[in-house]
Amino acid sequence: MTDPAPIAVYIHWPYCSRICPYCDFNVVRDRRQPEQAALAAAIIRDLQGQAALTGPRRLVSVFFGGGTPSLMDPDWAGRIIEAARRLWPTDGPVEISLEANPTDAEAGRFAAFAAAGVQRLSLGVQSLDDAQLAFLGRNHSAAEARRAALVAGSVFPRLSIDLIYALPDQTVGGWRKALEEVIALGAEHISPYQLTIEAGTAFDRAVRRKTFAPPGPDAAADLFETTQTVLEAAGFGAYEVSNHARGAAAQSVHNLAYWRGWDYAGAGPGAHGRLTMVTGRTAIATERRVADYVSLVDQTGLGVRAPETLDAREQAVERLLLGLRVHEGVPLTELEALELDARQIEGFVADGLLLPGGGRLVATAKGRAVLDRLTHDLIR
Amino acid sequence: MSTPLSRIRNFAIVAHIDHGKSTLSDRLIQTTGGLTEREMKEQVLDSMDIERERGITIKAQTVRLDYKAKDGETYILNLMDTPGHVDFAYEVSRSLAACEGSILVVDASQGVEAQTLANVYQAIDNNHEIVPVLNKIDLPAAEPERVRQQIEDVIGLDASDAVLCSAKSGIGIDDVLEAIVTRLPAPKGDAAAPLKALLVDAWYDPYLGVVVLVRVFDGVLKAGQIVRMMQTGATYKVDKIGVFKPKATDVGELGPGEVGFLTAQIKEVADAAVGATITEEKRQTLAPLTGFKEVQPVVFCGIFPVDAADFEDLRAAVGRLRLNDASFTYEMETSAALGFGFRCGFLGLLHLEIIQERLSREFNLDLIATAPSVIYKITLIDGSTIDLHNPADMPDPIKVASIAEPWIKATILTPDEYLGAVIKLCQDRRGLQRELSYVGQRALVVYDLPLNEVVFDFYDRLKSVSKGYASFDYSIEDYRTGDLVKMTILVNAEPVDALSMLVHRGRAETRGRGMCEKMAELIRPHMFTIPIQAAIGGKIIARETVRALRKDVTAKCYGGDATRKRKLLDKQKAGKKKMREFGRVEIPQEAFIAALKMDAD
């Protein structure tokens, strides 16, 4: 008997003690709402419902994102992990990740999360400069972030650090120094994200009011190139546009599941999933408001609203736009529905944006820097 | 019963744009009771949206006014509203030919403009009695005495009896009406003679079919009559005869001197050529009216659908427009760059703009219009000649002996302080000065200019260098041989045929550089460097570069982003349809016209 297909599980915990001005995720202020316990229970029930849709699968990952899942009761996290393992059993390894903010309070609970089964911490350090942290509206200092990284390093086998760059007036020199300081914190994985001004955020309004301006495309390109060279030199291979790992084992199994087009369940308010069901590959998204989500799960045993079956072309579009982000690219067999133009691809190979041959479509580092345009051009 | 000749007056109003022609027309209609206040829309006569928005008249129209004069008699006054733009000069001339007199409306503060001159000379050519009217006399800036003097000095008309009025405020309207009755001549004609009528204009009405505007000179036009268009020989049975008051009102017949309309199962406006003589089939007039000519387009451009799939819609749309506008011509054209479209001919630039606007507005089409071109007369080495409508069809230069291009006579009136800039503009466009004189505070310059230097943006530039104060009018003069070469624009080393043009060798470099700069601005960065070049034959004369895009990638893309990104791509795909791909380069549709407009000359 062959192994069942893999599945990753995403858990969305929407509460934050403070809403960051750049964030456009589905978040709510954490006021220790009594509904939080009901939400944890609803997430478990929703997972059960989704497991009934998928049939047998082998669990490869559970990822707690948010929001700030490190504010969650570690006990609830433990129960959710347990439920996922029971629903999609496996003998193989399961990566269990948790996003956390580097405050002293949260660092104090790392051990409890490790005990609940979390092995990989994704720490939202963002910057090691207090002025930049203030600009980003973060509720921790650089010193606090360093302490949290130290604790995390001792408690969890695997540590990843998130950073934000391309801040107003950021220089290549300053960014290089910041990267080197972060490398010294000893994480196995670093995710530097270019600051993106998302519609409807506080930063969006500030930019419209001309309170500040993010760097232009040339400056952003310079900072992106610096990121690649500095991290590469320190042994952090760029395996995705904004993700760098020290060796293959340090890569995020969970995120690779998205980029490789594997199935993933999504539970919690506003979570997304892709489930292969008897009716075909299906995009699911859950109710966004906590109360609506909890009551929908109560009524139907599922938090999903209006699942959408993806046709061959839509699946191929997703494979292309996610798969080209990763260093390994996408097998051409998964892109057949797009009827790509071979001559156009040859042109992009000649321009050094795609790698030639091999039965896969693979973007070069140069191609990944302009990937949005590249995918836009490839899809006709 | 037809009206006695002595109680008919047929008149046109001659004016510059904005001098109040339409307002005065409306006021005359209102005063004589053609419409109640409530029914008055602003500017009744300009009924097309575009006419109203631009404040210009495109089609000739007519209104019959019943006016009880101070002598106690009721007169029929036929007001011919003439197109006010040089592109429609022939239509203007036919409208004037249908009248015995004109009212010359001059803004009492602005004074005489270039266009006023052109139109008033046409009226004089048609032997019109002319009554000068000074409009807007209630404005603080009005200087009736100065303008009166100007009319005498510049036009040479006696303006001592000029009527003072304000169409907007309703001042002096009765004086205008009285002057029409007492100072303009009654028409002449013989009711017993065979029918002789002038086809003044024609348009397509969705309910009535083609409506023909006529002026009867001799005989009587009746419903049921079989009439013949003398120039084409086609015959039609008249269904309906009427007049516009301004609402269409049926009448049994139209006698000598009268103006009205007929319908007769005519399929297309092209079958009702402006200027034609209409007579009875049974008893034909022996003396057709003179002055008929077939209107020939002078400016051409290619019109292509942005989305090649819309070609059939475009075909239907140009066909529909042609139904209503015989002066607009089209034939199919194939461009290597743009695919299937039409080569269209226009009376002038305004006409071109109007047709493009109507195609996109009334038929909801996204269009690419290529560089306007004139007709070049090419003499080949073997002695044969070709009329070249499209630079893409230019024969191999080795076979060409000479190329001639059309020249115009441009009349420009400008306040003195902009004279330098206006002269520089004309010189830059290869103009030859013929005349420079002063009309009060303003300079009157007459230049010979090659039409191909005017078709792009001359009028825009003139407005901008004179802050809008210069006025401009032109007439086609003749063909002159010139040192003309074909300039090609290459985008990413591939020639874009829709952008090629004939230019004077001495202007090629400036032109080429201007076009390359504009294209470089309009083409967004691609993932590779794009050279944009202008070339004559194999020689590159200008070059610009669109730098390659360095960074364009979403920072975060995880499980929740796939749906959003996929839908965004679908949306972008719709936007892609507004672009045309040339080789590997996407060129936005507006680039084809914008590239020709040069900011700095």
Side-chain angles (χ1 to χ4, degrees), chain B residues 67-281:
Chain B
Y67 174 61
K68 194 159 193 288
K70 289 188 180 145
D71 64 8
E73 296 283 351
T74 299
Y75 289 81
I76 286 176
L77 312 182
N78 289 308
L79 159 59
M80 304 285 310
D81 191 18
T82 57
H85 194 276
V86 58
D87 283 4
F88 308 104
Y90 181 66
E91 298 192 8
V92 175
S93 80
R94 293 308 85 197
S95 299
L96 295 175
C99 305
E100 284 75 29
S102 287
I103 296 179
L104 166 64
V105 179
V106 182
D107 186 312
S109 56
Q110 305 277 323
V112 174
E113 303 281 355
Q115 207 178 50
T116 323
L117 280 180
N119 291 346
V120 81
Y121 288 142
Q122 267 200 314
I124 293 168
D125 287 347
N126 279 282
N127 298 316
H128 277 196
E129 264 318 307
I130 294 168
V131 175
V133 171
L134 303 185
N135 191 20
K136 309 192 190 179
I137 51 147
D138 55 336
L139 292 185
E143 294 177 85
E145 279 319 307
R146 183 182 66 81
V147 173
R148 210 194 292 257
Q149 192 60 45
Q150 204 185 38
I151 291 172
E152 299 199 348
D153 294 347
V154 181
I155 307 175
L157 275 180
D158 177 7
S160 55
D161 294 341
V163 181
L164 304 182
C165 84
S166 165
K168 200 164 182 190
S169 315
I171 300 165
I173 303 303
D174 283 335
D175 296 342
V176 174
L177 288 164
E178 258 330 286
I180 291 167
V181 168
T182 59
R183 290 166 60 182
L184 299 185
K188 298 189 180 76
D190 179 359
L195 176 67
K196 175 156 77 175
L198 172 67
L199 198 160
V200 178
D201 202 357
W203 58 89
Y204 187 83
D205 179 286
Y207 301 103
L208 300 172
V210 173
V211 178
V212 174
L213 188 61
V214 293
R215 153 73 198 268
V216 178
F217 282 86
D218 284 324
V220 180
L221 179 67
K222 294 180 188 142
Q225 222 168 18
I226 308 285
V227 294
R228 168 185 279 260
M229 306 280 183
M230 292 189 75
Q231 276 75 14
T232 60
T235 58
Y236 300 96
K237 182 165 181 254
V238 176
D239 288 334
K240 196 193 262 265
I241 289 181
V243 295
F244 295 105
K245 308 184 75 177
K247 282 180 263 185
T249 310
D250 287 3
V251 295
E253 56 180 56
L254 290 172
E258 290 194 294
V259 175
F261 70 87
L262 67 84
T263 62
Q265 306 280 327
I266 301 171
K267 296 277 184 306
E268 295 186 15
V269 170
D271 297 331
V274 170
T277 304
I278 300 173
T279 189
E280 280 165 82
E281 172 66 1

Side-chain angles (χ1 to χ4, degrees), chain A residues 50-199:
Chain A
Q50 293 187 32
L53 297 176
T54 61
R57 286 287 194 283
R58 123 184 102 86
L59 184 70
V60 293
S61 153
V62 178
F63 190 103
F64 291 89
T68 313
S70 51
L71 296 174
M72 177 182 206
D73 184 335
D75 235 28
W76 294 340
R79 261 180 264 164
I80 291 168
I81 295 165
E82 220 171 275
R85 285 184 177 279
R86 206 171 47 241
L87 290 166
W88 295 287
T90 180
D91 297 331
V94 181
E95 179 187 272
I96 314 272
S97 314
L98 177 89
E99 287 180 341
N101 276 343
T103 63
D104 289 337
E106 282 157 84
R109 308 163 68 197
F110 286 171
F113 278 111
V118 174
Q119 324 122 350
R120 182 175 182 273
L121 197 77
S122 172
L123 197 60
V125 170
Q126 317 308 5
S127 168
L128 288 176
D129 176 298
D130 283 334
Q132 288 181 354
L133 288 169
F135 170 77
L136 291 168
R138 303 290 296 173
N139 62 347
H140 56 84
S141 65
E144 227 176 335
R146 288 175 192 280
R147 282 198 292 276
L150 213 61
V151 177
S154 64
V155 170
F156 299 103
R158 301 175 62 190
L159 174 63
S160 174
I161 288 179
D162 282 2
L163 297 172
I164 299 178
Y165 71 97
L167 305 181
D169 306 321
Q170 190 166 32
T171 60
V172 164
W175 175 230
R176 177 184 293 274
K177 191 168 149 274
L179 278 171
E180 280 157 2
E181 283 176 31
V182 170
I183 291 165
L185 293 178
E188 62 166 18
H189 188 280
I190 298 177
S191 304
Y193 297 109
Q194 180 181 334
L195 176 64
T196 308
I197 306 300
E198 303 285 358

Side-chain angles (χ1 to χ4, degrees), chain A residues 193-194 222 351 369 373 379, chain B residues 525 550-551 558 576 584:
Chain A
Y193 297 109
Q194 180 181 334
D222 289 343
D351 293 331
R373 183 67 69 78
I379 292 173
Chain B
R550 286 181 63 200
K551 178 106 200 292
Y558 297 106
K576 249 179 168 174
R584 305 174 58 210

Side-chain angles (χ1 to χ4, degrees), chain A residues 14-348:
Chain A
Y15 303 100
C16 282
S17 51
R18 184 165 172 182
I19 310 294
C20 298
Y22 51 84
C23 175
D24 73 334
F25 290 171
N26 188 33
V27 293
V28 288
R29 279 289 297 278
D30 188 348
R31 296 190 174 87
R32 301 274 109 201
Q33 292 91 330
E35 68 187 19
Q36 292 193 14
L39 176 59
I43 286 172
I44 292 174
R45 237 189 116 194
D46 191 10
L47 286 178
Q48 289 165 348
Q50 293 187 32
L53 297 176
T54 61
R57 286 287 194 283
R58 123 184 102 86
L59 184 70
V60 293
S61 153
V62 178
F63 190 103
F64 291 89
T68 313
S70 51
L71 296 174
M72 177 182 206
D73 184 335
D75 235 28
W76 294 340
R79 261 180 264 164
I80 291 168
I81 295 165
E82 220 171 275
R85 285 184 177 279
R86 206 171 47 241
L87 290 166
W88 295 287
T90 180
D91 297 331
V94 181
E95 179 187 272
I96 314 272
S97 314
L98 177 89
E99 287 180 341
N101 276 343
T103 63
D104 289 337
E106 282 157 84
R109 308 163 68 197
F110 286 171
F113 278 111
V118 174
Q119 324 122 350
R120 182 175 182 273
L121 197 77
S122 172
L123 197 60
V125 170
Q126 317 308 5
S127 168
L128 288 176
D129 176 298
D130 283 334
Q132 288 181 354
L133 288 169
F135 170 77
L136 291 168
R138 303 290 296 173
N139 62 347
H140 56 84
S141 65
E144 227 176 335
R146 288 175 192 280
R147 282 198 292 276
L150 213 61
V151 177
S154 64
V155 170
F156 299 103
R158 301 175 62 190
L159 174 63
S160 174
I161 288 179
D162 282 2
L163 297 172
I164 299 178
Y165 71 97
L167 305 181
D169 306 321
Q170 190 166 32
T171 60
V172 164
W175 175 230
R176 177 184 293 274
K177 191 168 149 274
L179 278 171
E180 280 157 2
E181 283 176 31
V182 170
I183 291 165
L185 293 178
E188 62 166 18
H189 188 280
I190 298 177
S191 304
Y193 297 109
Q194 180 181 334
L195 176 64
T196 308
I197 306 300
E198 303 285 358
T201 60
F203 270 7
D204 182 31
R205 291 186 290 277
V207 169
R208 279 168 199 270
R209 283 196 307 265
K210 302 198 189 320
T211 311
F212 74 89
D218 271 333
D222 289 343
L223 293 167
F224 181 75
E225 281 163 18
T226 305
T227 312
Q228 309 308 306
T229 32
V230 173
L231 291 179
E232 199 75 46
F236 288 87
Y239 71 103
E240 195 260 359
V241 173
S242 305
N243 282 276
H244 302 253
R246 237 177 200 158
Q251 294 173 0
S252 162
V253 170
H254 185 83
N255 291 335
L256 280 168
Y258 300 140
W259 299 323
R260 286 174 171 158
W262 293 359
D263 273 10
Y264 54 100
H272 287 252
R274 289 290 181 277
L275 301 176
T276 304
M277 302 172 9
V278 282
T279 49
R281 185 153 161 98
T282 308
I284 59 163
T286 58
E287 278 288 357
R288 283 177 64 85
R289 289 186 54 232
V290 174
D292 293 344
Y293 174 78
V294 171
S295 79
L296 185 65
V297 174
D298 273 353
Q299 287 158 27
T300 65
L302 207 59
V304 177
R305 207 32 119 193
E308 188 193 346
T309 308
L310 302 177
D311 64 26
R313 188 189 144 79
E314 290 169 324
Q315 288 183 49
V317 169
E318 290 195 350
R319 287 300 296 119
L320 182 80
L321 66 86
L322 292 165
L324 276 187
R325 296 181 66 90
V326 205
H327 67 316
E328 65 195 26
V330 198
L332 286 169
T333 50
E334 295 183 42
L335 300 174
E336 273 162 11
L338 294 178
E339 295 174 10
L340 296 176
D341 177 353
R343 278 192 45 215
Q344 187 191 32
I345 291 175
E346 276 170 35
F348 288 143

Side-chain angles (χ1 to χ4, degrees), chain B residues 369-578:
Chain B
T370 64
S373 169
V374 299
I375 303 173
Y376 296 95
K377 293 197 183 293
I378 299 186
T379 307
L380 299 179
I381 289 190
D382 65 9
S384 59
T385 59
I386 305 173
D387 278 3
L388 185 76
H389 294 209
N390 186 349
D393 300 332
M394 170 86 173
D396 188 332
I398 304 170
K399 295 184 184 157
V400 173
S402 68
I403 306 177
E405 60 180 328
W407 281 64
I408 61 164
K409 183 175 107 178
T411 305
I412 299 166
L413 263 174
T414 176
D416 195 30
E417 62 258 51
Y418 307 116
L419 178 63
V422 168
I423 286 179
K424 180 171 188 306
L425 176 65
C426 291
Q427 297 289 139
D428 286 348
R429 301 295 173 99
R430 297 193 277 138
L432 303 172
Q433 200 183 89
R434 280 180 36 169
E435 214 181 304
L436 171 59
S437 53
Y438 275 86
V439 177
Q441 299 297 307
R442 288 184 306 168
L444 173 78
V445 272
V446 179
Y447 261 91
D448 281 358
L449 280 160
L451 183 59
N452 91 345
E453 297 286 347
V454 175
V455 288
F456 299 112
D457 60 346
F458 182 82
Y459 193 58
D460 291 347
R461 295 289 307 147
L462 180 70
K463 285 284 164 198
S464 108
V465 301
S466 69
K467 303 215 160 61
Y469 285 109
S471 61
F472 164 69
D473 197 22
Y474 73 91
S475 54
I476 303 277
E477 286 282 288
D478 52 10
Y479 271 81
R480 300 180 197 174
T481 308
D483 187 7
L484 297 165
V485 288
K486 181 178 168 183
M487 182 171 79
T488 311
I489 301 294
L490 299 105
V491 173
N492 206 26
E494 293 192 40
V496 179
D497 59 357
L499 286 169
S500 58
M501 56 165 65
L502 265 68
V503 287
H504 190 264
R505 196 182 297 275
R507 293 268 293 143
E509 203 186 312
T510 315
R511 256 269 154 70
R513 199 168 47 235
M515 285 189 65
C516 290
E517 280 169 9
K518 216 32 187 264
M519 291 297 284
E521 249 171 61
L522 291 166
I523 296 175
R524 56 170 198 172
H526 283 50
M527 285 167 304
F528 42 89
T529 301
I530 305 167
I532 297 169
Q533 296 155 306
I536 295 173
K539 188 176 169 238
I540 304 295
I541 55 166
R543 181 193 160 111
E544 287 288 324
T545 303
V546 180
R547 284 178 53 206
L549 182 76
R550 286 181 63 200
K551 178 106 200 292
D552 182 9
V553 60
T554 308
K556 284 190 183 193
C557 193
Y558 297 106
D561 304 300
T563 306
R564 192 167 55 155
K565 292 257 316 174
R566 171 165 48 81
K567 291 188 171 159
L568 183 70
L569 269 172
D570 278 344
K571 228 187 256 168
Q572 288 171 340
K573 221 182 101 203
K576 249 179 168 174
K577 285 191 167 176
K578 301 220 181 232

